[in-house]
Structures are given as C-alpha cells and as structure tokens.
C-alpha cells in the first residue's frame, strides 16, 4: 500500500502515484493538487481491487484534479474541507467500485465548498454507485454508472457544466436533493430509468431524459418519492422523456 500523511497546513502537488493491486491513501491538512505534466492519462492509479482515498482536512483546504484517477475494481473516496475541482481531463474511473465525493466536510453550508467538474470530465463507476455531496453547488460534467447516482447539495444547485460527451448523467436510478435548483438555467440531460428529486429553496428543476425509446419512471429512489419543490420562492418543475413517462409517486 501507499500511504501519504502531511501536517503543517501546507499545500502539496502530485504528478504520479501508482501501485499494483494495493491501496492508495493521501491525508493532508492543506490543499492538494494532482496533475501530470507529461503524457500520462492517470496521475493516481491502482489495479485490482485497490482503493483510492484522498482527504484534505485543513481549514478551507481544497482538492484539484487535472488528470485521471483510476482503479480496476476498488472504491474512490475524495473528501475536502472546502471544494473539489476537476479539470476537463480530471476523470475518475472504477469498473465496479463506488465513487464518493464530499465537499464542505465541515458542514458549513453556503460558502462551505462545492464540487466543480469541467465540461469533458467523466466519472465512471461501472456497476458502482456515484455519490456526490456538497454544501455549495455541484457542477456536473458526465456521470456514468449502471446502478445509482446520488447528488446532494444542502445550499446549492445541480448545474450542467456543458455538453461534451453526450448525456450529463447516465444511470439506472437518479436521486437529486438540492436547494437552488437542478438544471435551473440549463436543463440536465440524463439517461435514467427511475428518477426522484427534491428542491428546498429556489430555482427550477429541469431534466431532459433520453433512453433511446425506453420508459422513464418518476418514483421512489433512495427513500425520496417523486419530484417536489418546497421553497418559498416559486420554481418550475419540467421533466421530459424521449419516450413514455410514468409517474408513480
């Protein structure tokens, strides 16, 4: 295994961390940057069921990823006290391991930190769950899994970063918990079978789904039923599907 520990609230940069069938763990109380200046596609890589865990615990510490993280079958867990930022080549990939991201680990809420994917960045969990949580907004490049995608922001919205690569979210099930809308100004493009969402404060929920002719069901996902907006500021809910749509709850 590879274990890196840093104290002193200093920033650190990494150009390559790789191992074979082992875990990679990075813990620091300062901000972290991952970028390879050469031709490597992945700046952090382990094969087999090796896991990747990166944590930045210092006050206002963030994690910036500009090249790929890859594990053949392990989990990827990234936690920042403030923000998680991904360049257009900052992909995360695991064939069957859960991808978990937590920004604003101090639970500040508004201003505490968000998750920002550049247009072109891809998170692919294979058959694993994609789970993104933040205090501020979550900006989505492309999220892919054959199972569940869970997006949770306590004080922000779910934002479309752009249209590179096709649909923003590809999953069997999608659940969204937001405060200031989901696709509020620019609709989220999805390819999902089962959908639920709840927005608490302001903004719109706009989702355009296309499964190539398959059914979209608005139902119960991860304990959340239907699509609702409970904010004091009026907002619209607009969901479309390129084929039949069923509302169960």
């Amino acid at each position: 295994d590879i274990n890196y520990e840093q104290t002193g609230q200093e920033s650190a940069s990494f150009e390559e961390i790789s191992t074979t069938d082992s875990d990679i763990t990075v813990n620091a109380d300062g901000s972290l940057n991952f970028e390879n200046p050469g031709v490597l596609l992945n700046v952090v890589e382990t094969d087999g069921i090796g896991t990747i865990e990166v944590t930045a615990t210092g006050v206002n510490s963030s994690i910036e990823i500009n090249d790929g993280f890859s594990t053949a079958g392990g989990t990827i867990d990234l936690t920042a006290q403030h923000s998680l930022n991904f360049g257009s080549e900052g992909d995360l990939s695991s064939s069957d391991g859960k991808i978990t991201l937590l920004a604003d680990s101090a639970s500040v809420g508004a201003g505490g930190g968000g998750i920002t994917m550049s247009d072109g960045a891809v998170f692919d969990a294979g058959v694993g769950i994609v789970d993104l949580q933040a205090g501020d907004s979550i900006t989505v490049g492309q999220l892919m899994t054959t199972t569940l995608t869970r997006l949770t922001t306590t004080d922000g919205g779910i934002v479309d970063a752009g249209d590179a690569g096709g649909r923003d979210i590809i999953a069997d099930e999608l659940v969204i918990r937001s405060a200031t809308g989901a696709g509020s100004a620019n609709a989220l493009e999805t390819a999902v079978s089962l959908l639920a969402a709840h927005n608490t404060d302001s903004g719109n929920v706009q989702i355009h789904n296309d499964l190539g002719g398959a059914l979209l069901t608005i139902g119960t996902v991860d304990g959340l039923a239907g699509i609702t907006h409970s904010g004091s500021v009026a907002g619209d809910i607009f969901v479309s599907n390129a084929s039949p749509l069923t509302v169960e709850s």
Side-chain angles (χ1 to χ4, degrees):
D1 294 351
I2 295 176
N3 294 283
Y4 176 90
E5 300 279 345
Q6 177 176 304
T7 60
Q9 298 184 332
E10 297 292 333
S11 299
S13 297
F14 300 86
E15 295 184 359
E16 181 184 5
I17 305 174
S18 63
T19 184
T20 301
D21 203 19
S22 299
D23 298 339
I24 297 172
T25 304
V26 177
N27 290 311
D29 60 2
S31 292
L32 300 170
N33 178 272
F34 296 85
E35 182 173 7
N36 186 277
V39 297
L40 290 179
L41 294 177
N42 296 316
V43 65
V44 178
E45 184 171 20
T46 179
D47 61 8
I49 59 172
T51 64
I52 299 172
E53 181 177 350
V54 178
T55 306
T57 60
V59 176
N60 291 325
S61 59
S62 297
I63 299 173
E64 182 167 348
I65 297 174
N66 291 311
D67 286 298
F69 279 39
S70 177
T71 172
T75 59
I76 298 176
D77 294 277
L78 308 178
T79 301
Q81 202 268 0
H82 195 255
S83 298
L84 293 164
N85 302 305
F86 299 83
S88 60
E89 296 181 354
D91 301 335
L92 305 180
S93 176
S94 176
S95 61
D96 60 4
K98 182 178 180 180
I99 294 176
T100 304
L101 272 61
L102 173 61
D104 184 26
S105 63
S107 300
V108 172
I115 298 171
T116 302
M117 299 174 66
S118 297
D119 190 21
V122 178
F123 298 172
D124 187 350
V127 301
I129 294 172
V130 176
D131 188 3
L132 276 57
Q133 302 176 58
D136 289 324
S137 292
I138 298 173
T139 301
V140 174
Q142 186 174 55
L143 308 176
M144 302 174 65
T145 177
T146 61
T147 55
L148 169 68
T149 293
R150 179 191 298 120
L151 304 177
T152 305
T153 167
T154 57
D155 287 88
I158 310 298
V159 180
D160 182 357
D163 298 321
R167 304 269 111 186
D168 303 316
I169 303 169
I170 301 170
D172 182 45
E173 301 180 4
L174 171 62
V175 59
I176 294 173
R177 295 176 173 91
S178 59
T180 59
S184 184
N186 181 20
L188 299 174
E189 291 88 26
T190 63
V192 303
S193 298
L194 183 61
L195 172 66
H198 178 59
N199 189 61
T200 58
D201 294 339
S202 62
N204 307 310
V205 176
Q206 298 191 94
I207 297 172
H208 295 164
N209 196 69
D210 188 346
L211 273 175
L215 174 70
L216 169 64
T217 300
I218 296 174
T220 300
V221 184
D222 193 44
L224 183 65
I227 299 178
T228 56
H229 172 75
S230 61
S232 58
V233 179
D236 295 326
I237 296 175
F238 181 81
V239 179
S240 66
N241 190 38
S243 50
L245 187 155
T246 297
V247 179
E248 290 185 348
S249 56

